Structure formats: C-alpha cells, structure tokens
Amino acid sequence: MPDGRLIVLEGGEGAGKSTQARLLADALCALGFPVLRTREPGGSPGAEFLRSALLSGEIDWSPRAETMLHVAARMEHVAKTIRPAIEAGSWVVCDRFHDSTMAYQGHGLDVDRGMIAALGSMVGITPDLTIVLDVPREAALTRLRQRGAPDDRYERLNEAFHLRVNEGFRAIAAEPRHVLVDASGDIAAVHAAIMAAIHDLIRSVRGP
Ligand code: T5A
C-alpha cells in the first residue's frame, strides 16, 4: 500500500475552505483515491475537546497559551487521525493546519513566529500541498452574514486582526508547496482552480 498524501486548505474566515474541502474530497474519491476529510482545530476526540475550549469564548486565553493549545490539538490530531490514515494509503484533506496558527496567532496576535515555526516542526509532518484561499474580507463577511451561523471567538475579533490574518496567509502562500488560489469567484470556479493546483500532485502518483 503506497503512502497517502496530506492536502491542506487554508484561508481567513468565510474563504470557503469547508465547502472546497468537501468538493475536493469528493473529486479525489471519484478519481479512485481513498480519502479522509478532517478539520482543525479538531479531527480526533482529544482535539475536538480542545476545539470547544478554544472556540467557545468561555475563556479569554492569553495568546501564547492559546498557541500551545492549537499545537497540542494538532499533535493529537496527527497522532490519532492523520498519520494512521496516510500510512494506510489515504489522501487526507484537512481544513486548516499549521499555517492557521502562523496566520492567526503569529500574524494576528503577534505571537513569536520563530516559536510557532519550532512548535510546527515538533508536530513532525509537512503537508504535500497547501492551498491558500484568498478572498477580500468584505466578500468573506457577506458570505458569513448570508450563512447566518453564530460567531465564534475568532470571528468576534476586530477587523484589524482579520486583515493581519489575511496578509499573513498571503505571505505564507509564497512558501514552497503552497498555492494561492483566488477564492472570490463562484464555488465551481474556485473548485476548478483547486483541481488545477493539485494536478501535479496527482500526476506524481498516477503518471502523466
Ligand atoms: N484557528 C484555527 C486559529 O486561530 N489557529 C489555528 O491554529 C487553527 C487551526 C476555526 C477557528 O479557529 C481559528 C481560525 C478559526 O477562526 P471554524 O469554525 O473551523 O473555526 O471556522 P473556519 O475555519 O473559519 O470556517 P468558516 O466556516 O468560517 O469558513 P470557511 O470554511 O472558509 O467557509 P465555508 O465553506 O463554510 O463557507 C462560508 C459560507 O460561504 C459560502 C458557503 O456556502 C457558506 O455559506 N460560500 C460561498 N459563497 C459564494 N461563493 C463562493 N465561492 C463560496 N464558497 C463558500
């Protein structure tokens, strides 16, 4: 059984990550790959427990403690869900990963980015490809208002925070194994751009 792959979708609030993660997972299934779709924070019982503690707003975490909790959730997620799936040959499609900690806690909350990078290395797994969905904040807010779900702790943070997060993601998207996708088009157009972005990864497994 060949090892699977880890593909991550990243971006600010309302960029369309969950929608596109579903479509990408369906498309990979249709191509015959075994697929696991998961998300962060969460994706395993311990990490889902930490997700509630992080997002409920019950506790106003200090930025460094919050960073550690995201990383702890990720370590649990990798150990219990992601690594076993990859070793069993699955293609894992993950809604957020390490780059979210760099963008939200590093760029958004000004936590030391060197420390976040070091913690990321301790997690011990690098995505094969990260797709960063980029959408102007105004368009994302319109989508979130139309969806109408209650805001979580991060969605309630101020606009300057979200603009720093979006700028952070654009900087991160220039790193190796990252692709920036314009996510301001309709759902089908964004899906097509993502499929184009993963073409080489599929070809590396399937051949031309
Ligand atoms: N966080 C997470 C950190 O601070 N540090 C970390 O290390 C990690 C891992 C997670 C929060 O945790 C923070 C970041 C987050 O604030 P969450 O509940 O998982 O919170 O929420 P988000 O990941 O932010 O996801 P959202 O649900 O807010 O947005 P998505 O997933 O980007 O968007 P999606 O797909 O749900 O779409 C939103 C709406 O827009 C529509 C959809 O139908 C939906 O109604 N839509 C479109 N409309 C028009 N055109 C398109 N192209 C559209 N795509 C989607």
Side-chain angles (χ1 to χ4, degrees):
M1 174 78 73
D3 275 359
R5 296 287 185 275
L6 174 58
I7 304 172
V8 172
L9 290 162
E10 292 279 12
E13 314 287 310
K17 298 170 302 299
S18 312
T19 304
Q20 295 300 332
R22 276 193 295 276
L23 292 174
L24 175 58
D26 290 349
L28 290 169
C29 272
L31 288 169
F33 293 105
V35 176
L36 174 82
R37 181 163 58 86
T38 185
R39 67 159 181 193
E40 290 207 346
S44 69
E48 290 290 335
F49 177 81
L50 290 174
R51 178 188 174 93
S52 317
L54 280 159
L55 299 191
S56 70
E58 211 173 308
I59 296 171
D60 183 21
W61 298 102
S62 63
R64 279 159 64 97
E66 174 180 316
T67 301
M68 298 294 186
L69 289 173
H70 276 295
V71 175
R74 183 160 307 123
M75 283 180 167
E76 186 70 5
H77 185 205
V78 167
K80 302 282 173 61
T81 304
I82 293 180
R83 199 182 294 285
I86 290 176
E87 286 173 0
S90 288
W91 283 49
V92 176
V93 175
C94 190
D95 185 343
R96 298 194 181 279
F97 200 64
H98 167 79
D99 292 338
S100 280
T101 311
M102 193 57 93
Y104 280 77
Q105 281 67 49
H107 290 262
L109 297 179
D110 206 25
V111 174
D112 185 316
R113 291 181 214 158
M115 182 191 92
I116 295 174
L119 290 167
S121 313
M122 288 169 63
V123 173
I125 193 165
T126 304
D128 294 282
L129 183 67
T130 298
I131 293 157
V132 180
L133 298 182
D134 185 44
V135 67
R137 177 71 183 149
E138 267 312 309
L141 275 174
T142 305
R143 289 178 188 178
L144 292 172
R145 274 189 219 110
Q146 280 166 357
R147 184 178 64 183
D151 288 351
D152 66 29
R153 177 160 164 260
Y154 293 101
E155 282 159 4
R156 287 195 293 267
L157 289 175
N158 64 35
E159 280 307 294
F161 169 81
H162 288 289
L163 293 174
R164 286 198 299 278
V165 168
N166 284 355
E167 278 308 311
F169 274 125
R170 285 183 201 117
I172 290 165
E175 294 172 7
R177 293 181 299 279
H178 286 67
V179 178
L180 186 71
V181 165
D182 175 4
S184 53
D186 65 25
I187 290 172
V190 179
H191 175 60
I194 290 173
M195 292 310 289
I198 68 158
H199 179 258
D200 286 350
L201 191 60
I202 293 173
R203 212 173 53 171
S204 71
V205 174
R206 286 273 167 89

